[in-house]
Amino acid sequence: MTTSAEGPQGPGTAGLSAENRRLRAELARRHLIDLATGVLVAQLGASPADAAEHLSALSRATGLGVEELSADIVNGVAGTSGGAPAAPAPSAAPTPAEEEAHVVFSTPEERRARQAASVAESLDTVGEAAHALLEGALVPLGAESLWLWRRDARDCLRLAGHAGTGAAEAAAWQWIPPAAPAAFRSVLADGEPVWLDAGPPATEVLPGPAPRAGRAVLPLLLRGATVGLALAAWPGPTTFDEPLRRALVGLMDVAGTVLDATDSPPSGSPALVDVLDALSHPAMLLRVVPPAAPPTVEHLNDYAVAALGGAHPPEDRSLALALPLLHADIAHLARRAHRTARTQRVARLPATAAPGEDDDSPPLVDVRVLPAGEERVVVLWHAATDPGLASERAVSRLQSVALFQDSLTGGDTVWSEQAYALFGRSREEPPVPLLGLRGLVHPEDGEALTDLLRVLTERRIGAQTVLRIVLGDRAVRHVRVAAEPLIDGGKVTGFAGVYQDVSASRRTEAALTATFDQLTAVRTRAELRHQLAQQLQQAIVPEVPDLQEFPGLVVAARYRPAAAEYRVGGDWYDVQPLPTGKVLVAVGDVAGHGIEAVTGMVSLHNAQRGLACTGESPRRLMGWLNEMTLRTSGYPTATAVCALYDPADRELVWSSAGHLPLLLVRDGAARLIDPPQDILLGAVPSYAYEERRTALRPGDTLLLYTDGLVERRHDGLDDGLARLAAQAELVSGYPPNEQVERLLDVADGDTDDDTSLVVVLVR
């Protein structure tokens, strides 16, 4: 195999990564501005276009950028701003509507926090959102790490995202049972934050850099319910004054929304991902099914990310983009290893070539490929010529080992220099002999120390054990003690041996035990595949869990990604209770795939949510959405249905922008409700959309869907709609969540398009 001197990622990948970062930043900026525009629409009673113009005028009048001013507006309605009102934008003759718009200036910290929150809301996973919140908002407040857990039905906590901490520590806190630390139990029970200025009590252990470090434990709330828990940690004791508390509570409101909208576990088995993260050398998880398709990168551990120059997998997770020079070789090896482990020598994998090496004779690297189920393989690599990662691990191992020698005949105890740091003692303090360790050992390990000393003195043979050493700050360190007796004249005259800090490996062992226990609990391979499929779906568009109840309605919804390479599409759906007592039900589909479609989808989805709170009719909402689409970057087009259900009289008022007809199932018979003949969003400005009114009855089922469910390449659309109506009649007796699953199972659309399906049952 040959390679060139070009770097492991190549200029093409670097350019794509930079473009991806730019697009994500623009997406976050547009998200914040759209939120502010929606607020002004509600305050002024103006159209989105007029509200956007007013925002620009306010920006010119105040001297603030549009993004900074948008942060102030959103902070004002969220109650997280403590500044003074800003003057309305000047005009020749201010209208009453303009005078109704008030802006409250935020402090720089509040503005920065709102911008970080906007970035977090626009990201794909909880892990990415945690990094955005930490770097953009919490680090300026002095924090150094953030943990986000999701609460399950059994009150267990599963780590959904983290930032500022290592993989080994994250693995140790992956699962927290109901018998959690007292601070966690209090937050889950009362829904109120717990402020630990100087860390938890000495009897408890919480994530963080040191026992006495300040920590804030806060509930993650969604629609009034505690759906998870957050912990922010500081490097040392911290005073949580009122401004700091207010800022943290505001940020965690965003985290609760992110927790509901995204899912951070990487593709593949969470247990397998935890195992890869616990390794101390590069590891990559590849998906190799279907066989004809190129393998895709599902996960890289921290060492592999470092080997790739700090770059995470690209958006399409292509192996060719991750390893442009070697992807063909690795792909060939991965397919051969689908059933049996393979080892092969490959030239110059990332971070393996020593500086200054001759490119004509690159080093050979052992690559190990292991099968991981029916659809995945694990790729491991390491080279003896790797001076970075290998030397780093070797030095860390040497630093965790210390030598000692004790005398039992009146001599001194001698420690090597590393022992003082290992036991948390200064060089001015005397070394502690093995016989005197009892005062430093955790009370539960006293018997293990006694057994060690008994073997050394009575049996006169070498022995080893692991003891928990309690340091001065109440931190606990796991130390392996390996000792040999010194014998003179048949008597034990002393001990000599080694102390080794094994805390990291103990945490890793605990994490591996927990993850393998999880794997054992999965009884069949079919259940595991079902679990993984759900995770892949929910990572793109959130799924309404089970049966979700709203005023007068029971709803189930699902999103199915495109069949070809899991391309990200522009489908969206929304079911939202409104302050008026009505319920918004909507679906939409932005044309195309990729980041442009997602950007348009996020803008329209967020705008629709904000505009619906005005209480205006679907016809008016659709008109505003059309104007918003015309002003969205990239000039997307989209189809959509926007409906408002009134539980008081069971009437559905709805408008359609070129979307497929609603499907109503009543008394077991299905019929299509023809929509108004209106054009799609983003086609022409100032278009007036029509409105339909449909009376619903208890027991009626309403289906809203996108074209991926029914379209086939060689059939007419009417044929696909007829098949859907027939299938809807067959499943009409099932609960909505089962109807969704059965309809998706039999759906025969073959256009490789993504699909959204919402099933609404009238109670």
Side-chain angles (χ1 to χ4, degrees):
M1 302 180 186
T2 60
T3 184
S4 72
E6 190 177 337
Q9 293 191 82
T13 303
L16 288 173
S17 298
E19 178 67 6
N20 179 47
R21 289 192 296 271
R22 185 191 69 77
L23 290 171
R24 284 186 176 277
E26 176 62 19
L27 180 63
R29 176 179 175 276
R30 287 305 318 168
H31 172 64
L32 183 57
I33 294 174
D34 289 344
L35 287 176
T37 303
V39 170
L40 292 179
V41 166
Q43 289 182 346
L44 301 172
S47 69
D50 291 338
E53 177 58 33
H54 188 77
L55 181 63
S56 299
L58 283 173
S59 174
R60 292 191 296 271
T62 59
L64 291 172
V66 174
E67 187 175 1
E68 288 76 13
L69 187 61
S70 297
D72 291 355
I73 292 173
V74 176
N75 278 339
V77 297
T80 57
S81 184
S91 63
T95 66
E98 288 178 317
E99 294 175 350
E100 291 177 7
H102 298 281
V103 182
V104 178
F105 284 131
S106 301
T107 65
E109 292 79 10
E110 292 168 341
R111 188 175 295 139
R112 185 167 50 239
R114 176 55 58 185
Q115 290 172 313
S118 179
V119 173
E121 289 176 321
S122 68
L123 294 173
D124 296 331
T125 69
V126 185
E128 291 174 332
H131 279 279
L133 290 174
L134 177 66
E135 297 301 325
L138 289 175
V139 167
L141 299 176
E144 72 172 25
S145 62
L146 174 64
W147 306 71
L148 303 175
W149 288 273
R150 179 179 283 108
R151 185 184 193 179
D152 68 14
R154 299 181 300 279
D155 275 344
C156 293
L157 296 171
R158 175 179 173 83
L159 188 62
H162 61 91
T165 185
E169 188 176 7
W173 292 95
Q174 189 73 27
W175 287 95
I176 299 177
F184 287 16
R185 294 198 304 271
S186 172
V187 172
L188 292 177
D190 303 334
E192 295 294 333
V194 171
W195 312 102
L196 303 170
D197 292 11
T203 56
E204 290 197 345
V205 178
L206 291 179
R212 303 293 294 170
R215 294 169 175 83
V217 186
L218 303 100
L220 299 180
L221 303 176
L222 187 67
R223 293 186 283 272
T226 302
V227 297
L229 185 146
L231 183 146
W234 274 251
T238 303
T239 299
F240 291 101
D241 55 20
E242 187 57 34
L244 180 55
R245 293 186 179 192
R246 186 171 62 246
L248 291 172
V249 170
L251 286 171
M252 292 312 111
D253 287 344
V254 174
T257 304
V258 169
L259 199 67
D260 179 61
T262 57
D263 198 6
S264 72
S267 305
S269 163
L272 182 56
V273 167
D274 290 340
V275 171
L276 299 188
D277 285 342
L279 297 176
S280 59
H281 51 77
M284 175 191 301
L285 182 63
L286 296 182
R287 181 181 174 90
V288 293
V289 171
T296 54
V297 179
E298 291 198 335
H299 183 63
L300 299 170
N301 69 0
D302 288 344
Y303 285 104
V305 171
L308 291 172
H312 288 270
E315 282 301 302
D316 66 356
R317 297 183 176 271
S318 164
L319 179 63
L321 287 178
L323 296 169
L325 303 180
L326 294 172
H327 67 92
D329 297 334
I330 299 299
H332 176 68
L333 192 58
R335 293 192 183 95
R336 291 176 58 203
H338 190 199
R339 299 289 182 183
T340 306
R342 300 277 180 174
T343 300
Q344 185 164 327
R345 293 206 147 182
V346 179
R348 197 186 292 279
L349 271 174
T352 58
E357 279 188 323
D358 184 3
D359 287 330
D360 294 333
S361 56
L364 293 178
V365 182
D366 283 331
V367 175
R368 182 75 168 166
V369 182
L370 308 173
E374 295 293 330
E375 301 178 352
R376 293 171 177 81
V377 297
V378 172
V379 180
L380 310 173
W381 74 88
H382 177 60
T385 55
D386 175 1
L389 297 175
S391 60
E392 176 186 336
R393 293 193 294 272
V395 170
S396 68
R397 290 193 177 100
L398 288 176
Q399 289 175 340
S400 66
V401 173
L403 305 177
F404 73 91
Q405 183 167 322
D406 295 345
S407 173
L408 301 181
T409 58
D412 294 333
T413 292
V414 179
W415 277 2
S416 67
E417 183 175 352
Q418 293 89 343
Y420 292 91
L422 193 150
F423 284 90
R425 298 172 71 84
S426 69
R427 291 302 303 269
E428 288 72 29
E429 296 180 89
V432 180
L434 194 59
L435 291 173
L437 281 186
R438 195 170 302 276
L440 302 179
V441 171
H442 192 284
E444 295 179 2
D445 291 350
E447 186 175 349
L449 177 60
T450 300
D451 292 341
L452 174 69
L453 294 172
R454 183 179 297 116
V455 172
L456 293 172
T457 57
E458 296 180 4
R459 299 181 59 189
R460 302 180 186 180
I461 60 174
Q464 65 173 326
T465 189
V466 175
L467 304 173
R468 284 172 290 175
I469 303 299
V470 182
L471 306 181
D473 58 1
R474 307 301 298 173
V476 175
R477 181 168 289 160
H478 290 79
V479 175
R480 184 187 306 281
V481 184
E484 292 287 338
L486 301 177
I487 301 174
D488 185 11
K491 295 182 180 181
V492 177
T493 60
F495 310 121
V498 174
Y499 296 128
Q500 182 185 17
D501 183 0
V502 294
S503 302
S505 63
R506 279 298 169 116
R507 287 193 295 266
T508 300
E509 289 170 11
L512 291 174
T513 299
T515 54
F516 281 118
D517 286 345
Q518 295 170 34
L519 283 176
T520 304
V522 181
R523 298 185 180 278
T524 66
R525 189 178 300 274
E527 291 177 24
L528 179 59
R529 285 199 297 269
H530 176 67
Q531 225 176 36
L532 300 179
Q534 283 185 326
Q535 291 171 2
L536 290 172
Q537 291 170 11
Q538 294 172 5
I540 301 174
V541 172
E543 171 183 323
V544 177
D546 298 325
L547 293 178
Q548 187 77 13
E549 295 190 3
F550 296 90
L553 302 176
V554 180
V555 178
R558 298 290 187 275
Y559 170 84
R560 185 176 65 184
E565 300 180 5
Y566 290 89
R567 295 179 298 167
V568 178
D571 279 17
W572 86 86
Y573 60 80
D574 201 3
V575 185
Q576 176 188 2
L578 301 177
T580 60
K582 298 179 181 180
V583 180
L584 169 72
V585 183
V587 295
D589 184 5
V590 175
H593 291 88
I595 191 65
E596 292 82 6
V598 174
T599 303
M601 178 268 287
V602 171
S603 295
L604 295 183
H605 177 268
N606 291 335
Q608 182 183 62
R609 280 210 142 200
L611 294 170
C613 293
T614 64
E616 289 291 342
S617 66
R619 173 183 59 82
R620 187 77 180 275
L621 295 178
M622 198 67 80
W624 286 342
L625 278 181
N626 181 54
E627 298 300 318
M628 182 70 71
T629 308
L630 290 166
R631 288 162 176 79
T632 297
S633 175
Y635 305 103
T637 57
T639 65
V641 170
C642 179
L644 293 180
Y645 175 75
D646 190 345
D649 57 9
R650 298 194 180 91
E651 184 177 53
L652 187 79
V653 182
W654 56 285
S655 290
S656 175
H659 202 76
L660 296 170
L662 307 184
L663 183 66
L664 176 64
V665 182
R666 176 174 292 167
D667 298 328
R671 68 180 179 90
L672 297 169
I673 306 177
D674 290 332
Q677 299 302 309
D678 286 332
I679 62 175
L680 48 71
L681 300 174
V684 297
S686 303
Y687 187 84
Y689 287 88
E690 298 182 26
E691 211 167 66
R692 291 281 191 271
R693 295 178 179 271
T694 302
L696 300 178
R697 303 174 187 173
D700 283 355
T701 299
L702 194 67
L703 272 64
L704 295 84
Y705 50 92
T706 55
D707 52 10
L709 188 68
V710 295
E711 284 190 343
R712 291 184 61 83
R713 292 186 176 90
H714 304 297
D715 289 345
L717 181 60
D718 290 343
D719 294 333
L721 294 174
R723 287 191 296 269
L724 175 62
Q727 292 296 335
E729 291 179 351
L730 293 176
V731 303
S732 61
Y734 294 97
N737 58 335
E738 290 192 38
Q739 290 190 44
V740 169
E741 297 294 350
R742 291 172 181 270
L743 288 172
L744 286 176
D745 285 344
V746 300
D748 55 0
D750 64 355
T751 58
D752 290 340
D753 199 3
D754 47 353
T755 299
S756 289
L757 173 61
V758 181
V759 173
V760 179
L761 174 65
V762 181
R763 293 194 295 183

